[in-house]
Amino acid sequence: MVSRRSILLSLLLAPLAACSSKFKTYNGPEVTRVVVYKGRRKMYLLHHDQVLKAYDIDLGFAPEGHKQFEGDGRTPEGDYTIDRRNPNSKFHLSVGISYPNARDVEVARALGKSPGGDIFIHGQPNAFKPKGRDWTWGCISVKNHEIEDIYAMVNDGTVISIYP
């Protein structure tokens, strides 16, 4: 037989369990564009010209310049789109960036290299804790609670502009 105390405890704990999910919902204005300023280490989610959210970011371990080939540690620069999401990311959650585009492939091939891919906005690693700034292989990293918001707010097809 279930005691009254057990039922009350369950009712009190249920809202806390719901809050612990990494999958949030968002009902605000549509994010129409994501803007990243690599030099400032800032990312903004915009509704047209209105900033909805701003984030401090970490970048690839070689943050200066545009990504040219796989393994160079650089974060791409230019206009791309958010094109996929990974709910089972090794970095909490992640949303994909459409790198490489045709020009990126052309530049890498001219260097005799692969352009690489798998560039994401993601949270912190599940397996290790990064030391210092700019530790990714070319991705854009935010805190885990921030990627939860980004994952909920930014739809596939949203333009992302990445500036030096």
Side-chain angles (χ1 to χ4, degrees):
M1 185 164 166
V2 178
S3 73
R4 186 174 180 177
R5 179 186 260 172
S6 296
I7 292 171
L8 286 174
L9 185 60
S10 296
L11 289 173
L12 289 172
L13 293 178
L16 292 176
C19 291
S20 67
S21 174
K22 66 182 180 178
F23 300 105
K24 296 181 178 180
T25 57
Y26 174 69
N27 296 318
E30 176 187 13
V31 175
T32 57
R33 188 168 174 211
V34 177
V35 177
V36 174
Y37 293 99
K38 289 172 45 175
R40 297 183 206 162
R41 303 299 188 278
K42 294 295 275 188
M43 179 172 66
Y44 302 92
L45 306 187
L46 303 176
H47 175 70
H48 302 294
D49 60 351
Q50 176 190 5
V51 175
L52 299 173
K53 293 272 190 169
Y55 302 98
D56 293 325
I57 59 171
D58 289 329
L59 300 168
F61 62 82
E64 299 293 321
H66 175 60
K67 183 165 195 61
Q68 293 185 324
F69 55 87
E70 184 173 24
D72 68 3
R74 293 180 178 161
T75 302
E77 296 172 357
D79 291 328
Y80 298 92
T81 58
I82 300 301
D83 65 351
R84 63 201 182 279
R85 50 198 62 242
N86 184 355
N88 301 311
S89 174
K90 293 179 182 176
F91 300 93
H92 194 60
L93 290 170
S94 59
V95 293
I97 297 171
S98 64
Y99 174 89
N101 60 29
R103 176 77 177 132
D104 297 324
V105 171
E106 183 182 309
V107 168
R109 285 190 180 150
L111 296 169
K113 308 254 184 180
S114 166
D118 286 337
I119 301 297
F120 287 86
I121 302 169
H122 61 65
Q124 300 298 302
N126 297 333
F128 69 92
K129 296 289 181 203
K131 293 186 175 35
R133 246 191 142 142
D134 299 333
W135 55 271
T136 78
W137 285 87
C139 295
I140 299 165
S141 177
V142 295
K143 293 178 174 77
N144 285 348
H145 71 276
E146 294 170 336
I147 192 61
E148 291 172 2
D149 291 340
I150 295 163
Y151 195 91
M153 293 175 73
V154 179
N155 294 316
D156 289 358
T158 302
V159 172
I160 177 169
S161 298
I162 306 171
Y163 299 108

